[in-house]
Amino acid sequence: MQHSLQRYFHSRRTLLSTMVITASGWTSSSSYPPTIAQKSTTQKAALTSGATWCPEQQIFIGGTVPNLNNDRVERYIDQILNAPENDNEDEDIPLLRIFGYGSLCWRPDGLLCHESVTSSMATALGYKRCWCQKSADHRGTAMFCGIVCTLLSDEEVHDIQSTDSDKHQTYVTEGVVYNVPRSIARELLEELDFREKGGYARDLIDVVVQDNNGDGEARVVQALLYRGTPDNPAFWRRAMLDLPFAAARMAVAVGPSGANADYLHNLSTFLSTNKCPEIQTAEETKVCNTSARGIIIGDFETRVIADMTRTFQSTKHGIQFLFGAGSNQYNQLLLNPGSKGVLFSSGLHDDEVHELVETVLVMPPSQQKHHEQQREQRDTSDAESSFSSQQQHMERILIAPIISLDPKELYAGGGHSAVLSEDGELFLWGWNENGQLGRSPASPIITVESGNTDGIPYPVIPPLPSIDVVKASLGHTHTMILERHTGRVYAFGDNIRGQVTGGTNTNCNDPTNVYIPTTPHCLENECCIHISAGVFHSAVITQEGELMTFGWDKFGRCLPPHITKWRPDDGSKLVQVACGYKHTLVLDEHGRVWSMGDNRCGQLGRAATNDSNKHGQLPHLIDGVLGTKDSTCISIDCGWSHCIALCRLDDNDDNVEEEIVTMYGWGRNDKGQLGNLGRDNISIPEKLRCAGIAVLKALCGSECTMVVDCSGDIWACGWNEHGNLAIGSMEDALEFVRIQGTDMPRTGGHGKLLAVGGAHFIALAKHK
């Protein structure tokens, strides 16, 4: 084998180095394999000819499988199909060779199972198995794509990974070569072309095979390869570079062909139990390293991902996929690995990201569901006891499905984030310097550990213990929660102004930081229906429809000390409250909006910008339609110094959840916070120019505004210093711009959850 491979690499350098791709195929000239730049034009033209990419289904529709290397592939196929009949039994009859590297390794089907087809283990030269191909119609769905493998050439891998060390490596990949007789070759090609036309292309590659069941001398042959390339819209760079992310995805995804983990584990088992022709000794490695490149043996990444996936499944950790952009300084986007030792080279664990990225929330196992699934697993094992030993082995590998929460709402604060489940569990992560996560800053970060790996670098986010949460509000450095059924309020985090324990900056002698959920003194006997955490103050609406405030009372953002509760003089009940930096808004049951606090930027919604509520004043109605009972206002929100209100359209019915709304805005606008193409502050609420956007919901960040439309698209405007608008830059946006980056599942507006914080936002696509 050593001499055979030595001859191969010598001939590869001397003969194939004179070939280069042109628009029409291969010609003599420069280097082989072709560079990314040389192949790009041909690939893109081929991949788009006759096929249409469907973003809704995440697949190609129609078309045929193109040839990447037109002349070489066509000559090879022509040689097989149209070779002259030969009566000389001593001469070899040409065979069509197909190289399988994915499911064809462990589950061939169709004509590849024909009795005339033989197969043997083989090693592809100059190609690497990469887990970077989205699967929306086999191992996943359009709503939640799975991941399958493809083969990428050395040059494609080097271009994507962009590391100097990789430029001197040649990859080899284990797989299976199928030897197809000419009698069924044409029919088999038609079968494969039909099956693989979803964005795949045909290539001709060199593979090492051994005759006599692996006991013969190794030789290099050519084989036909079907693969997805980086030009394919289903190519997923993030999955290729971030193995823990890929493992988490495959642990959850299920498609028409079964669980994604089934595909992965079957392939991993096949590779570990079957011997491929490879460079097996140090001497052979040394011989091959005399070439211009080093050699990578085997498939390390498949085994790593398989081990991680088993870890997720065996430990029964819950997994929830989120999206986000902006600042990640405190890991509020969950992009920082929690431990070292595992490949994590996506480049996404920076301090900020300027486009939408997908993130992974890992939660502890639920013990009740854990036991239920164990019973289901035992029952399934008993029912399937007649399976073959190999099938039983695979079933043991495929542990019960991952537990994911049923998300109800998202929240974002100054540097922390949260997700609330329908079951009332609140998961908080990110900035915890002041205990705003409901636990001590000294609490250790727990990661998913396994005896087979160095651990999976995702922190395990525990739920807030012992409280059934119905609503939460994340302020700049503190958090408020509302307990289901009791209406009891708890708060924790920064208390330097009394915004947690219920004091004020002048009379608070409580601890400056509160690490565990604590009921504010003033709310001990109150049942509340709504809460809001601002920068340095807090507010609630009681069950009786009254406003209560506490925290820093400067600028009149809080009620005066001698008035503990407030409601309008006409007895109307209040239903919502929103805290800004130096002001407070409330909404009553008739749709009227009231405001109090600082008005320097017009955030009180009254014409006189010098009319700043002094300490001791009470809420007043804002100017314009929002101050009347005819406003149809159903929701209010505040940034630091700007405000928005959502109103029903006149021609909609009473189903608030299903309707498009009109959005009003006012207050500070120097960064484009209100999206009206200007920078002038707005004192009297006005309808915002949404450029035809059918607004369904809207939220304020500290100095920006984001909306979700009926189709589920997210739009943003305003301050963008940290890329927190996800528009691909750090430039402020003076009008609403559609966010860009990773595509979220197309759920429609009602299926999108959104939370906007100080300099980041998170989003989620509900699958139910």
Side-chain angles (χ1 to χ4, degrees):
M1 181 176 182
Q2 173 181 336
H3 298 298
S4 174
L5 287 171
Q6 185 178 9
R7 289 194 302 271
Y8 166 74
F9 281 104
H10 174 74
S11 63
R12 187 171 189 245
R13 292 194 305 273
T14 57
L15 297 179
L16 298 180
S17 63
T18 62
M19 305 185 75
V20 66
I21 194 169
T22 66
S24 59
W26 292 96
T27 63
S28 296
S29 179
S30 177
S31 62
Y32 174 83
T35 66
I36 295 294
Q38 291 167 338
K39 294 177 71 172
S40 179
T41 301
T42 300
Q43 287 183 1
K44 288 179 179 177
L47 287 171
T48 57
S49 61
T52 301
W53 176 255
C54 177
E56 285 77 17
Q57 300 182 55
Q58 290 288 298
I59 58 173
F60 276 104
I61 298 177
T64 58
V65 179
N67 298 326
L68 290 180
N69 308 318
N70 291 328
D71 286 357
R72 295 183 70 227
V73 173
E74 291 173 3
R75 284 198 301 267
Y76 174 77
I77 294 176
D78 183 71
Q79 179 185 0
I80 304 300
L81 300 181
N82 301 315
E85 297 291 340
N86 196 330
D87 296 331
N88 188 345
E89 296 182 357
D90 294 333
E91 294 187 15
D92 292 337
I93 300 175
L95 297 172
L96 173 67
R97 292 186 174 89
I98 304 292
F99 183 74
Y101 55 89
S103 60
L104 291 185
C105 288
W106 54 272
R107 195 184 66 181
D109 56 9
L111 285 175
L112 287 178
C113 297
H114 194 274
E115 60 183 8
S116 64
V117 176
T118 62
S119 63
S120 62
M121 299 300 296
T123 302
L125 301 165
Y127 286 84
K128 178 183 179 182
R129 182 184 285 110
C130 298
W131 294 89
C132 56
Q133 186 77 8
K134 291 182 181 180
S135 178
D137 55 352
H138 288 292
R139 297 295 172 173
T141 65
M143 280 287 295
F144 193 84
C145 293
I147 303 172
V148 296
C149 60
T150 187
L151 291 195
L152 300 184
S153 69
D154 291 347
E155 282 68 22
E156 289 167 336
V157 173
H158 302 156
D159 182 74
I160 293 169
Q161 293 183 338
S162 300
T163 60
D164 292 336
S165 60
D166 289 339
K167 294 180 180 178
H168 302 289
Q169 296 173 341
T170 292
Y171 295 95
V172 297
T173 297
E174 305 94 333
V176 176
V177 159
Y178 291 91
N179 305 299
V180 182
R182 185 172 58 183
S183 59
I184 63 170
R186 189 183 302 275
E187 187 178 356
L188 175 65
L189 285 173
E190 293 174 353
E191 180 181 276
L192 291 176
D193 286 353
F194 176 80
R195 189 180 75 172
E196 305 293 355
K197 66 184 178 181
Y200 279 65
R202 291 190 300 202
D203 213 342
L204 190 63
I205 65 171
D206 298 316
V207 298
V208 177
V209 298
Q210 278 184 287
D211 298 326
N212 299 324
N213 295 321
D215 296 328
E217 183 176 355
R219 60 193 179 98
V220 178
V221 300
Q222 290 186 318
L224 200 60
L225 169 70
Y226 287 78
R227 69 186 185 98
T229 69
D231 291 309
N232 183 352
F235 177 79
W236 205 348
R237 184 178 185 273
R238 167 76 182 280
M240 176 178 171
L241 297 178
D242 186 349
L243 300 190
F245 172 80
R249 192 84 182 190
M250 285 188 274
V252 175
V254 178
S257 298
N260 203 166
D262 188 342
Y263 174 96
L264 170 66
H265 292 316
N266 276 287
L267 179 57
S268 179
T269 300
F270 176 87
L271 295 174
S272 64
T273 56
N274 291 274
K275 179 181 177 182
C276 292
E278 61 180 13
I279 306 169
Q280 299 175 1
T281 67
E283 181 61 27
E284 289 169 341
T285 302
K286 182 178 179 181
V287 169
C288 293
N289 279 340
T290 59
S291 66
R293 297 183 183 276
I295 300 296
I296 299 297
I297 305 299
D299 186 350
F300 167 75
E301 292 182 1
T302 296
R303 288 185 280 271
V304 168
I305 297 174
D307 282 345
M308 290 182 185
T309 304
R310 290 189 186 96
T311 298
F312 277 126
Q313 294 177 315
S314 63
T315 58
K316 302 290 193 303
H317 282 80
I319 298 176
Q320 182 66 55
F321 289 85
L322 305 171
F323 297 81
S327 173
N328 190 49
Q329 182 179 1
Y330 304 104
N331 202 26
Q332 60 263 51
L333 298 179
L334 290 171
L335 294 176
N336 288 337
S339 63
K340 298 180 180 179
V342 181
L343 180 62
F344 190 90
S345 58
S346 67
L348 294 178
H349 49 287
D350 295 327
D351 283 344
E352 59 189 43
V353 289
H354 303 159
E355 292 186 348
L356 192 69
V357 296
E358 193 166 8
T359 65
V360 180
L361 169 65
V362 179
M363 299 157 287
S366 168
Q367 292 303 310
Q368 180 178 357
K369 293 182 180 179
H370 181 115
H371 297 316
E372 291 175 357
Q373 289 185 336
Q374 283 183 325
R375 289 195 297 270
E376 292 175 2
Q377 183 69 14
R378 287 195 298 269
D379 294 340
T380 301
S381 298
D382 293 339
E384 297 175 348
S385 59
S386 61
F387 280 12
S388 66
S389 59
Q390 178 71 11
Q391 181 65 36
Q392 289 174 349
H393 174 68
M394 290 302 169
E395 290 297 324
R396 285 194 296 271
I397 289 175
L398 297 176
I399 311 298
I402 296 294
I403 308 164
S404 293
L405 60 82
D406 183 10
K408 177 183 179 181
E409 195 57 80
L410 299 179
Y411 303 96
H416 59 310
S417 307
V419 58
L420 175 64
S421 75
E422 292 285 357
D423 294 331
E425 289 187 310
L426 183 68
F427 299 84
L428 294 126
W429 65 92
W431 194 13
N432 195 37
E433 181 179 351
N434 305 103
Q436 56 264 53
L437 302 186
R439 51 186 179 268
S440 169
S443 300
I445 296 176
I446 302 172
T447 57
V448 184
E449 299 293 339
S450 167
N452 298 324
T453 70
D454 294 328
I456 297 174
Y458 288 126
V460 179
I461 307 301
L464 199 65
S466 306
I467 300 177
D468 185 2
V469 181
V470 69
K471 189 182 296 293
S473 179
L474 274 56
H476 184 61
T477 51
H478 74 292
T479 301
M480 299 177 68
I481 59 174
L482 186 62
E483 187 174 38
R484 194 196 309 265
H485 304 307
T486 67
R488 191 172 183 85
V489 174
Y490 296 88
F492 40 90
D494 181 14
N495 190 46
I496 195 169
R497 308 290 186 182
Q499 64 265 44
V500 168
T501 56
T504 67
N505 60 303
T506 56
N507 65 9
C508 183
N509 296 316
D510 293 331
T512 55
N513 292 318
V514 178
Y515 299 151
I516 59 175
T518 301
T519 297
H521 305 315
C522 58
L523 300 180
E524 284 287 352
N525 299 313
E526 299 294 339
C527 176
C528 299
I529 62 170
H530 202 263
I531 56 177
S532 180
V535 178
F536 293 121
H537 76 296
S538 304
V540 304
I541 302 297
T542 67
Q543 190 174 40
E544 290 75 27
E546 296 175 312
L547 171 69
M548 298 182 68
T549 62
F550 47 95
W552 196 13
D553 54 5
K554 190 177 181 181
F555 300 106
R557 75 193 90 188
C558 291
L559 295 171
H562 65 281
I563 299 179
T564 58
K565 299 179 181 179
W566 179 88
R567 67 193 298 176
D569 291 339
D570 63 4
S572 298
K573 290 185 176 182
L574 304 176
V575 293
Q576 288 183 27
V577 60
C579 293
Y581 181 20
K582 299 177 181 179
H583 73 293
T584 303
L585 294 183
V586 286
L587 175 67
D588 71 23
E589 60 184 331
H590 302 296
R592 296 177 299 181
V593 181
W594 305 72
S595 64
M596 66 181 186
D598 184 47
N599 197 33
R600 291 178 210 177
C601 299
Q603 61 265 50
L604 296 189
R606 292 194 280 275
T609 57
N610 60 351
D611 176 24
S612 177
N613 273 358
K614 304 299 183 182
H615 182 80
Q617 291 187 336
L618 300 176
H620 288 75
L621 286 170
I622 66 174
D623 291 345
V625 66
L626 294 178
T628 71
K629 292 185 177 181
D630 298 326
S631 74
T632 69
C633 181
I634 57 174
S635 177
I636 55 174
D637 199 19
C638 288
W640 279 15
S641 303
H642 73 291
C643 310
I644 60 170
L646 302 183
C647 297
R648 272 195 202 93
L649 293 179
D650 293 337
D651 55 353
N652 284 115
D653 58 27
D654 293 332
N655 189 350
V656 174
E657 294 183 355
E658 295 295 327
E659 69 180 16
I660 300 171
V661 296
T662 298
M663 182 164 61
Y664 286 82
W666 65 98
R668 186 174 178 180
N669 194 38
D670 61 326
K671 302 290 185 181
Q673 293 94 318
L674 301 177
N676 67 344
L677 293 175
R679 292 184 182 271
D680 294 333
N681 295 340
I682 299 176
S683 297
I684 299 178
E686 63 180 45
K687 289 184 181 180
L688 298 184
R689 304 171 184 173
C690 297
I693 302 171
V695 177
L696 197 64
K697 59 185 77 171
L699 294 168
C700 293
S702 61
E703 299 288 356
C704 70
T705 303
M706 303 190 77
V707 304
V708 179
D709 68 18
C710 285
S711 66
D713 288 334
I714 300 174
W715 304 72
C717 67
W719 175 68
N720 192 35
E721 182 178 346
H722 299 282
N724 42 288
L725 300 187
I727 58 176
S729 72
M730 294 185 292
E731 298 294 325
D732 297 340
L734 302 184
E735 62 180 328
F736 285 98
V737 180
R738 184 188 282 113
I739 66 172
Q740 62 186 50
T742 302
D743 290 333
M744 293 184 68
R746 293 174 175 266
T747 59
H750 300 294
K752 291 291 193 308
L753 300 181
L754 176 68
V756 191
H760 77 289
F761 77 89
I762 56 174
L764 184 150
K766 295 189 68 170
H767 293 258
K768 293 184 179 181

